[in-house]
Amino acid sequence: MSYAETLIERDLLELLGGDAPPDLVELTLSRLAAGGADPTDHTAPPAAKPAGRLITLRRLAEAAVVILAVAVIGWLVTRPPALPPGVTAARADYTVHEDHVALTDGWMLLTEGAPEVRHAGSRVHDVTGRAVVGGLELPDARTLGEVANELNLTEKEKPMFTNPKRWMRAAGLTLCLFTGTAMIDGVMFTAQDPDTKVDSPNPGESAKVGALLRTSTSIKVNRYGRILTISDATEIKDITTKLTGDGFKSSDKDLSSNDPYDWVTFVLPDGGKAVAVGLSQGTDCEPGYFDLMLPGWEGHHAYTIPAAALPVFEKLYERAMKEPKAVVSPEPHHVAKVKEMLDTATTSTVRTYDKDQWGGWLQFDAAKTVPLRDAIRDAIKAPAEKAAGWNHMNEVRLALKDGGVIEASVYTYGNLVNLKLPGWERSVDYTCSESLRQTMWAMMFLATDGPYAKGFEVKRKWAGADSTIKERRCEIVTTDEAWVKLWLEHTAPEVVGGKAAPNVDFGKDMVVAVFGGEIWNSRGYYMYETLQGDSAWTIRVDQYRYQTVGPDGGGEVVYPFGIFVVPRTDRSVVIEEDTQGMIGEPPRWLAIGGRVALITDPPKPMVEYNADETVQGSWGQDEAGRETKLDTFTLITDQKGWEQTRPLVKDDAINKLRPDFDKQVVVVAVVMAPKGVGQHRLQFVGRNAARTVIRHIAPTAQTSGEAQQVEFIYSVWVLPRPSTGLMIEQPQYRRLDQSPYWNEKYGFKSR
Amino acid sequence: MQSPFSAIFAAKMFRHFLTTSGACVLMDAVMTREDALIRLMKDHQADVWRFLRLIGCESALADDLTQETFLYIYRNPIDEISHAATAAYLRKAARNLLLNRRRKEGREHPLDVEAAEAAWIALTPTGHGDDRLEALQRCLEKLAERSRSAVDMKYAQGRSEAEVAELLQTSLDAAKSLLKRTRAQLRECVERQVNL
């Protein structure tokens, strides 16, 4: 009986005979509680059964001869089938089918144009960059290194490939995505490293541009929506040599009126693409031209075509016309058809830009894609004249049902959306309604608290150019003790008036601090991007830089810093800084600090304790003036201070207090409030090894606008003398029905 | 300049829209690992058990290995990108657990991995075994009376093929043939239904 028939039989037994699967949740949880989780890797095939007895040398030799003979015959008979363009295999068992490649074992490097690859019930498809796919078992680093060489990976890709943390384990396979995007079972994944693109030469450097084109690994020719793919190395060399031979040079000619819907793509070794459009054949008096765009260029640049290359392109176009018609996107001005194409989007990835930082890429499944694609479809109106810049936008990539990806960038400011459909070599700006930008904001809000959120919130931050830490360094702080020490080091008394470290709840949060050392023209650091990986978090920072003029450039020496409170993680953390010096160029990330996974537990909550004595009272408005001699909060730590302060309050109860300043301190708080609203309430006094915190709620009342009698309310607290800094906090309510956020009001450093 | 108030209002409206449109999976509270395990089991345990039964596990062993499969996933969490992908991963882990168990017992388990997987996927393209069972229920309703009787006797009443033959007043070979034809007919019908 075949498995299909057995399956029907099993289903009949379940449906009619009641042999149904039991609910095993409780049993499993019991086993889990009893420590029953099995650490063995069961995604790897079981090891072969060990031999039960010794094999004699003779038998061994006989077996070796037989195996060798079988292997030779087997190799001759079943040599691996030729792989389609875009696929390179290493140590792989596979079969090639009409519309896909079935990978049984080993690794495959997929580049743009690769067919679908299936493995263990999952499929990888629509790769737009470079990715390696393999089975679930990742070997040791040495074997990975050998495989990397067999796959001819670039020098930038090899470290990613050999780092297990860079591998994504999803469905029945593993994937290492170097550049671009890839889809697994209909869900799109995006490479995280924008800096793995090629370093393109400047448009004017014709020789270097030519040299780069000659390294192409494949060429695609699009003629009226029919696509010819050339992957034969000899032919590619012939084409690119003729194209970049004598007569290939940079030109100022404007080719924007030429037909942009035929194009030639040169796929470069690391997955980047050089795209040529607007080919003109030339005349007897004038050479032919084309517009070329390399990775990293903002637009196209014109080049002349050597006469020897023109017949080559004519033949390529003729060959392309014999190819079957590919999926063709509508032209940009057919807005209704563009909208129809948007309707076929199934999944999406989104990344938002807000408050000077990019969020991570967020994966959205079909249910979450529908409202997003509908919002874009309903919002777009007509092609706009304004040229797109790349900055300050929310980016969306919509994966289409029939393959291909629509790239959309929604501007944070202004009602414009930039679209690029499959097959378009230039993106087009469209005017759109205000609602689209609002939707993108909503997406950002939605994403930050959902399980799909990849970036994380910066809860508080301090940045500036006047740190007293004057060497370049990074700190990741997870304990109150270390935080107080760092803050004291960072804020000399003359800078912040001796204020104590702000309170951070290290049970939930941690502090990431970056100090730039002595440099010029910076206003401090901001958080650029946070990438929340499974094994490590990456925190990317950049500086607010500015330019000066004057003798020697007029540079100002500064000591920039950025201190960020972010959600606590016990995973590894990497801090990266953008080292790109050129304005408008994509960032170049350099690791500047970090820490390995944390194994210590979060700190325990503060120990609460009570004030030893409390005296409260008030004086009337007629005694105005007395308060001017008292600060709102006064910390008294010795008898002399007490003798100076006590008479100002004028309360018999205070005269009876006898604080022991060897063991105690006194805090005097005075506020003005409408008459009769009550007293200070001491909410919490707590301390740990690093600090003592007093949280109090001052009396408040809403005023009616009419003149009201006010009074001055005072509270005097005698507290056990802290050996640490003291922080007095007041509540701030975002919403009255929510818990307050405690904001430091006054702080005193420890002696 | 973008007004933060209008943005927050829009965000709330959008959340409301998603909530009311049933698309608001993102609103789920952050789950503990145990919660995640329970959710994963609720979604997949039936199909893991069914797959183990398909590849030859007796009922008690299927119970045991289904639990072990999810305990393994608890210790080695995966990226859940879709229901079908997670189901494929779980089947792979369950299958290897079975093979390991057999190895430890010193027994070989006859299993054509690819064929079993292909049969499962062909009849379960959505990744939900319940869809297949629903399709089978619909197909059963379309069976001819004699075929339906044979199926009921064999699978609902647990009768042997000889008893089925006797009750249908036919030979044993004819009864076997009838059941085989009916299963093939049901398989084709289910395959059509689940691919609609």
Side-chain angles (χ1 to χ4, degrees):
Chain A
M1 197 184 288
S2 70
Y3 279 108
E5 219 171 316
T6 311
L7 186 54
I8 292 295
E9 184 159 54
R10 288 279 342 136
D11 286 350
L12 285 168
L13 283 168
E14 181 175 340
L15 211 56
L16 303 175
D19 187 12
D23 186 349
L24 298 165
V25 173
E26 291 300 323
L27 276 172
T28 309
L29 291 177
S30 307
R31 282 177 68 172
L32 182 65
D38 174 10
T40 315
D41 180 5
H42 292 296
T43 54
K49 185 181 174 184
R53 56 197 167 85
L54 289 174
I55 301 172
T56 62
L57 279 176
R58 185 179 165 184
R59 285 194 178 180
L60 206 62
E62 285 170 359
V65 169
V66 170
I67 289 167
L68 187 65
V70 169
V72 169
I73 293 165
W75 181 78
L76 289 171
V77 174
T78 61
R79 269 183 289 185
L83 282 163
V87 184
T88 310
R91 304 182 184 193
D93 290 334
Y94 57 88
T95 49
V96 177
H97 300 263
E98 192 178 340
D99 59 344
H100 72 277
V101 176
L103 175 66
T104 315
D105 195 16
W107 291 270
M108 281 184 172
L109 170 66
L110 309 180
T111 55
E112 186 154 347
E116 184 175 301
V117 172
R118 295 182 187 169
H119 177 76
S122 291
R123 57 200 186 94
V124 179
H125 53 111
D126 293 297
V127 174
T128 64
R130 281 167 67 87
V132 175
V133 63
L136 277 170
E137 304 84 34
L138 267 189
D140 55 54
R142 186 180 161 190
T143 311
L144 277 176
E146 290 168 5
V147 174
N149 288 331
E150 289 171 34
L151 290 172
N152 287 326
L153 299 184
T154 66
E155 290 308 311
K156 281 183 180 175
E157 289 168 346
K158 281 179 183 171
M160 293 191 224
F161 185 80
T162 52
N163 180 0
K165 291 177 182 172
R166 296 302 303 255
W167 285 80
M168 181 188 308
R169 192 174 65 167
L173 45 82
T174 46
L175 184 85
C176 187
L177 187 55
F178 304 123
T179 55
T181 60
M183 296 186 66
I184 304 176
D185 292 339
V187 177
M188 185 162 54
F189 290 85
T190 305
Q192 288 190 345
D193 299 290
D195 56 344
T196 52
K197 290 177 182 171
V198 288
D199 296 322
S200 300
N202 291 323
E205 299 173 304
S206 305
K208 288 185 181 175
V209 172
L212 187 61
L213 289 180
R214 288 194 292 276
T215 65
S216 302
T217 55
S218 68
I219 297 175
K220 283 184 181 182
V221 182
N222 179 325
R223 182 72 163 168
Y224 299 124
R226 297 168 192 272
I227 297 174
L228 167 71
T229 303
I230 299 165
S231 45
D232 179 67
T234 313
E235 193 176 4
I236 293 168
K237 191 177 176 187
D238 181 50
I239 294 168
T240 53
T241 307
K242 284 181 177 162
L243 177 68
T244 60
D246 288 342
F248 174 80
K249 60 183 179 185
S250 170
S251 164
D252 294 332
K253 194 165 179 73
D254 179 9
L255 301 177
S256 58
S257 60
N258 284 11
D259 180 5
Y261 302 112
D262 286 340
W263 41 262
V264 180
T265 299
F266 301 86
V267 180
L268 302 173
D270 55 2
K273 290 188 296 182
V275 182
V277 295
L279 187 79
S280 68
Q281 295 288 349
T283 62
D284 292 341
C285 312
E286 195 178 44
Y289 293 94
F290 69 93
D291 253 354
L292 185 69
M293 185 161 75
L294 262 55
W297 291 4
E298 295 248 330
H300 286 73
H301 189 83
Y303 291 86
T304 55
I305 302 180
L310 286 169
V312 175
F313 278 94
E314 278 176 30
K315 282 181 187 169
L316 288 177
Y317 280 149
E318 278 174 25
R319 281 170 61 191
M321 286 304 289
K322 291 173 187 164
E323 295 289 324
K325 204 165 173 77
V327 177
V328 181
S329 299
E331 292 183 24
H333 60 275
H334 289 148
V335 178
K337 288 185 178 175
V338 170
K339 290 187 176 195
E340 278 176 25
M341 200 148 185
L342 277 162
D343 271 342
T344 66
T346 53
T347 58
S348 54
T349 51
V350 180
R351 113 174 150 151
T352 54
Y353 188 90
D354 180 51
K355 296 174 187 166
D356 298 333
Q357 55 184 304
W358 284 106
W361 283 104
L362 312 167
Q363 311 288 344
F364 282 73
D365 64 11
K368 294 161 212 107
T369 297
V370 169
L372 178 63
R373 80 164 192 222
D374 288 355
I376 297 175
R377 181 200 60 203
D378 295 343
I380 59 171
K381 292 174 182 172
E385 290 182 0
K386 184 182 173 300
W390 70 275
N391 230 342
H392 289 230
M393 291 185 287
N394 300 307
E395 295 185 358
V396 182
R397 291 180 182 174
L398 295 153
L400 305 179
K401 190 169 68 179
D402 298 327
V405 172
I406 293 182
E407 295 174 20
S409 303
V410 186
Y411 288 69
T412 306
Y413 304 114
N415 297 333
L416 285 172
V417 57
N418 181 264
L419 288 183
K420 188 176 171 196
L421 269 58
W424 290 3
E425 291 304 328
R426 289 173 168 135
S427 61
V428 177
D429 279 350
Y430 287 83
T431 53
C432 69
S433 60
E434 171 82 10
S435 64
L436 183 55
R437 191 149 43 87
Q438 304 287 17
T439 302
M440 290 307 299
W441 275 75
M443 275 292 181
M444 185 184 65
F445 276 71
L446 191 68
T448 50
D449 62 356
Y452 285 78
K454 297 291 182 189
F456 48 81
E457 182 192 4
V458 178
K459 296 186 174 180
R460 296 187 74 182
K461 71 173 184 181
W462 299 267
D466 55 357
S467 176
T468 53
I469 293 178
K470 298 192 174 175
E471 76 271 12
R472 185 175 169 77
R473 72 187 221 218
C474 300
E475 298 264 353
I476 296 168
V477 182
T478 52
T479 65
D480 222 2
E481 292 84 345
W483 168 230
V484 170
K485 190 177 164 197
L486 178 71
W487 186 264
L488 286 173
E489 192 182 351
H490 159 65
T491 58
E494 63 271 19
V495 177
V496 290
K499 196 170 169 180
N503 196 17
V504 175
D505 182 356
F506 284 102
K508 295 176 186 169
D509 301 328
M510 64 182 188
V511 171
V512 174
V514 184
F515 302 96
E518 183 177 295
I519 59 170
W520 288 269
N521 297 8
S522 169
R523 294 194 175 93
Y525 285 89
Y526 65 93
M527 191 76 88
Y528 180 93
E529 185 175 45
T530 56
L531 305 169
Q532 203 168 331
D534 288 336
S535 55
W537 287 15
T538 303
I539 291 171
R540 289 176 164 170
V541 297
D542 196 5
Q543 294 185 52
Y544 299 107
R545 305 301 291 261
Y546 57 92
Q547 292 186 328
T548 50
V549 292
D552 297 329
E556 297 165 358
V557 175
V558 290
Y559 304 95
F561 67 93
I563 299 174
F564 310 96
V565 179
V566 298
R568 183 186 179 95
T569 179
D570 292 345
R571 295 176 183 176
S572 300
V573 176
V574 178
I575 303 172
E576 294 181 343
E577 184 179 356
D578 181 13
T579 56
Q580 174 61 267
M582 304 294 289
I583 293 171
E585 291 295 311
R588 286 176 175 276
W589 298 108
L590 177 71
I592 56 171
R595 68 123 220 254
V596 295
L598 200 63
I599 52 170
T600 54
D601 293 329
K604 291 174 184 168
M606 285 188 161
V607 178
E608 290 191 42
Y609 70 102
N610 298 318
D612 294 335
E613 289 177 277
T614 304
V615 174
Q616 294 185 316
S618 63
W619 65 76
Q621 199 174 14
D622 52 327
E623 293 188 69
R626 273 171 57 184
E627 76 285 357
T628 57
K629 295 173 184 170
L630 281 167
D631 290 332
T632 309
F633 287 92
T634 308
L635 174 70
I636 303 158
T637 57
D638 54 26
Q639 193 63 34
K640 186 180 169 190
W642 179 239
E643 295 302 332
Q644 289 172 351
T645 310
R646 187 166 50 92
L648 296 171
V649 183
K650 291 183 184 172
D651 187 320
D652 289 343
I654 288 177
N655 288 327
K656 291 175 187 167
L657 292 176
R658 295 283 182 271
D660 176 358
F661 285 102
D662 286 335
K663 296 175 183 169
Q664 293 175 311
V665 292
V666 177
V667 174
V668 180
V670 180
V671 295
M672 185 176 73
K675 197 165 185 177
V677 296
Q679 282 294 342
H680 292 95
R681 279 194 291 127
L682 203 57
Q683 179 89 356
F684 169 78
V685 179
R687 64 180 169 188
N688 62 16
R691 69 172 70 237
T692 301
V693 173
I694 297 174
R695 285 180 178 170
H696 84 102
I697 301 173
T700 55
Q702 289 189 331
T703 55
S704 63
E706 297 171 7
Q708 279 187 311
Q709 266 202 315
V710 295
E711 61 182 355
F712 294 90
I713 298 165
Y714 60 86
S715 295
V716 178
W717 297 302
V718 182
L719 299 164
R721 186 175 195 106
S723 56
T724 62
L726 177 70
M727 179 66 68
I728 298 171
E729 295 182 339
Q730 282 184 326
Q732 278 191 338
Y733 289 92
R734 291 195 174 112
R735 280 176 49 182
L736 287 174
D737 58 345
Q738 287 182 347
S739 300
Y741 169 74
W742 289 93
N743 195 17
E744 66 273 8
K745 192 73 182 169
Y746 289 89
F748 308 94
K749 283 186 180 178
S750 58
R751 285 198 301 187
Chain B
M1 187 69 169
Q2 173 69 40
S3 159
F5 296 105
S6 62
I8 290 166
F9 175 73
K12 285 179 181 170
M13 292 304 293
F14 190 66
R15 273 167 180 254
H16 175 71
F17 163 66
L18 286 180
T19 310
T20 50
S21 68
C24 200
V25 185
L26 288 177
M27 295 296 155
D28 290 346
V30 176
M31 291 192 293
T32 65
R33 285 183 66 198
E34 283 73 17
D35 290 339
L37 176 68
I38 293 167
R39 201 243 327 128
L40 194 71
M41 286 198 75
K42 297 262 184 215
D43 286 352
H44 292 280
Q45 61 169 342
D47 280 343
V48 171
W49 189 88
R50 285 170 184 146
F51 185 73
L52 284 166
R53 294 286 275 140
L54 170 69
I55 59 178
C57 281
E58 52 276 26
S59 179
L61 182 60
D63 289 358
D64 195 29
L65 292 181
T66 301
Q67 294 171 53
E68 284 187 18
T69 302
F70 286 98
L71 288 172
Y72 169 72
I73 296 298
Y74 179 83
R75 290 286 300 269
N76 302 275
I78 57 170
D79 300 319
E80 287 185 68
I81 60 167
S82 69
H83 182 92
T86 305
Y89 184 87
L90 288 166
R91 287 198 299 276
K92 188 170 185 176
R95 188 179 73 204
N96 287 336
L97 278 164
L98 170 64
L99 294 176
N100 272 327
R101 179 70 69 95
R102 295 290 193 228
R103 285 258 157 77
K104 282 180 189 165
E105 292 167 357
R107 295 162 57 189
E108 287 299 319
H109 188 91
L111 174 61
D112 182 345
V113 170
E114 295 299 324
E117 185 70 22
W120 181 274
I121 292 170
L123 289 170
T124 326
T126 61
H128 293 273
D130 288 344
D131 292 348
R132 194 181 65 236
L133 285 163
E134 280 174 22
L136 180 61
Q137 182 70 59
R138 288 194 295 274
C139 292
L140 279 170
E141 287 160 15
K142 294 178 188 168
L143 280 182
E145 194 180 334
R146 189 174 170 79
S147 301
R148 178 64 202 249
S149 298
V151 165
D152 278 344
M153 286 176 208
K154 169 88 173 141
Y155 297 106
Q157 299 162 19
R159 295 180 188 276
S160 67
E161 284 169 341
E163 286 175 315
V164 173
E166 194 182 329
L167 287 166
L168 289 177
Q169 297 179 338
T170 185
S171 67
L172 178 60
D173 284 346
K176 280 183 180 174
S177 173
L178 174 63
L179 283 166
K180 190 177 170 64
R181 276 202 318 275
T182 307
R183 282 195 299 263
Q185 197 181 340
L186 286 170
R187 182 176 63 78
E188 282 171 24
C189 173
V190 168
E191 204 164 348
R192 273 199 310 275
Q193 292 266 347
V194 293
N195 283 301
L196 275 180

